[in-house]
Amino acid sequence: LLREVRDQLRDRRTLFMIAVLPILLYPLLGMSFFQVMQFLREHPIRVLVVGAPESSALPKLVEGDRFAKDLFPIAERAALMQVTVQSPEETRRLAGVEPIEQARRDMQDGNYEVVVYFPPNFAERYQQFHESLSQDDSATAAVKVPQVEVYPNLAKDASKAAHRRVTDVLDHWREEIGKQNLAERKLPATTARPFEIATLDVAEAGQHK
């Protein structure tokens, strides 16, 4: 008899897990997802872009105060990030300041979750790289495009999440550059990744939990 009772209880638990629990959980998960998306729309990820490159050889990265919609698998997600491009005047004023110190200063008051830094010669060096693609391989190998630097504060959850989203955008942008190069010329696949994206944490020592 005890065994039969245990079997019935086990069957009821199984039925509950398979049939009842999903009915209870799915609406809660859907509501949570909706609330998160609503929060992101009202509080978009704030990104500062320093030295945004302007070159006809490069796909568009920033459009107004957003990353280009083409860089998102779902165009509406572009609205979840608010992008500020640092003015050339401000960039010149801060010449000589270490990028990581500038990023830490810009983020310490909570104005941005992530800072993206393009070296001053990025567009020029990429233009040289682009032009060298029509020459031999040795000419292309001689041109090095400087890396793009992404500065999050990985001790903070909001910055950590923003970092993942921003690096996804930059990865997609780099892929678009590679596709553009390959479409223009018959080139090896290595030309699709002409530069690296580096992450440099601005958190002070001891901040990580």
Side-chain angles (χ1 to χ4, degrees):
L1 179 62
L2 183 61
R3 187 173 184 178
E4 290 180 3
V5 171
R6 284 202 303 265
D7 289 343
Q8 288 179 4
L9 288 173
R10 184 172 61 249
D11 291 343
R12 288 177 182 177
R13 282 201 304 267
T14 302
L15 181 62
F16 178 80
M17 295 292 290
I18 293 174
V20 180
L21 190 60
I23 295 174
L24 297 174
L25 286 180
Y26 288 161
L28 292 175
L29 291 173
M31 188 178 300
S32 298
F33 178 77
F34 175 79
Q35 288 175 341
V36 169
M37 295 300 290
Q38 186 66 26
F39 177 82
L40 288 174
R41 287 191 181 93
E42 295 174 358
H43 305 84
I45 292 169
R46 296 161 302 174
V47 183
L48 176 65
V49 178
V50 180
E54 292 291 338
S55 171
S56 58
L58 289 166
K60 200 72 174 174
L61 176 62
V62 179
E63 296 175 342
D65 63 350
R66 298 285 188 269
F67 285 118
K69 289 184 179 179
D70 292 343
L71 302 178
F72 294 84
I74 301 175
E76 287 76 10
R77 291 183 181 174
L80 303 182
M81 293 190 193
Q82 183 176 339
V83 179
T84 299
V85 177
Q86 188 178 86
S87 67
E89 294 76 16
E90 180 71 1
T91 302
R92 283 193 293 269
R93 188 180 70 80
L94 293 168
V97 178
E98 286 295 322
I100 193 166
E101 291 304 322
Q102 179 187 345
R104 185 175 287 127
R105 185 208 66 182
D106 288 327
M107 294 169 65
Q108 67 184 359
D109 295 330
N111 296 323
Y112 305 102
E113 278 76 47
V114 176
V115 175
V116 179
Y117 176 79
F118 288 88
N121 62 341
F122 181 88
E124 178 185 352
R125 296 294 288 173
Y126 181 79
Q127 186 68 40
Q128 293 173 4
F129 172 84
H130 187 261
E131 292 171 356
S132 73
L133 296 178
S134 60
Q135 304 172 30
D136 56 39
D137 291 341
S138 61
T140 301
V143 181
K144 183 172 178 58
V145 181
Q147 67 183 13
V148 178
E149 298 175 354
V150 182
Y151 294 90
N153 185 336
L154 297 179
K156 296 184 176 181
D157 290 340
S159 186
K160 191 184 298 185
H163 167 248
R164 289 195 296 269
R165 291 176 179 271
V166 170
T167 52
D168 284 347
V169 169
L170 293 173
D171 279 335
H172 199 164
W173 184 62
R174 181 171 55 180
E175 288 174 8
E176 290 301 309
I177 293 172
K179 290 177 184 177
Q180 181 176 290
N181 289 339
L182 293 171
E184 291 177 359
R185 304 172 181 86
K186 293 182 179 180
L187 299 169
T190 52
T191 59
R193 297 175 68 91
F195 59 86
E196 294 303 317
I197 300 170
T199 295
L200 298 94
D201 188 7
V202 302
E204 301 282 1
Q207 271 192 299
H208 289 284
K209 298 177 182 178

